[in-house]
Amino acid sequence: MQVLIFGAPGVGKGTQAQIIAEERGLKHISTGDIFRENIQNQTELGKIVKAIIDRGELVSDELTGQIVKDALSKAEGKFILDGYPRTIAQVEILEKIFNELNITSPKVVILDAKDEIIINRLTSRRLCRQCGNIISLLKVAENGNCPKCGATGDFEKRKDDEEEVIRKRLEIYHATTKPVVDHFRKGEGAIVIDGTMSKPDVTELINQKL
Ligand code: AP5
Ligand code: MG
């Protein structure tokens, strides 16, 4: 199974992709996660993309295309792709990659939510350093422990989750990525889901429709 998951920053792509991948034995390929891992490990790629990502801008189509090609060719046709394609040029690059890999009908999941909900979510988003899960500060227990693994709060905030950068990312999403999402929305069988529902409800609907 191959799944493409789309939606604005903070709509819940990573949260849902992580769950669906685990449940269905798919590889979760998130371009943002790959970049952040490279930044963390201070690789050459990480050094190139760090400032771009911190500003909330898009990494070049060429660089992103290489990363996706590499990841997809190792995924043995079982993946959920999160955060790609984000420009019309990336749509064309992905079509070529899919042709080479004989992938003909990937499933498309689109999550929708209004900007104000997204800003709220992203300013509260943290990553648990213990279990690696995406969590929300709004859901952290009174004792400050991770709602997923229960570990004593050891959370990391993404640099691009400052309100000013979130607004920049949303602006780029509407100007550049929304046309890509609308293109996939028109495709036969596109699964469109209200991303403002609870996490389990979103997961259940995705599973029903997949
Ligand atoms: P990327 O990492 O892809 O960031 P993004 O698209 O901005 O999306 P996010 O990861 O911020 O949000 P999400 O939808 O995954 O939400 P999440 O599940 O975490 O990209 C980062 C950067 O890398 C880009 O800005 C760009 O620079 C570069 N890049 C990446 N791909 C690129 C490409 N193709 N081309 C060029 N550059 C690229 O959830 C958010 C929060 O909400 C969490 O706290 C979560 O717990 C909470 N939440 C989730 N679902 C719910 C729910 N149903 N109810 C309540 N809270 C919820
Ligand atoms: Mg994400």
Side-chain angles (χ1 to χ4, degrees), residues 136-149:
S136 169
L137 277 189
L138 307 172
K139 293 283 162 65
V140 163
E142 265 176 34
N143 59 8
N145 291 350
C146 172
K148 285 269 165 74
C149 70

Side-chain angles (χ1 to χ4, degrees), residues 10 13-15 31 36 57 83 86 90 125 169 197 199:
K13 303 180 296 294
T15 300
T31 44
R36 281 184 291 278
E57 293 167 4
R86 267 168 141 106
Q90 291 181 10
R125 173 171 59 187
R169 285 158 61 204
M197 296 183 304
K199 289 182 197 178

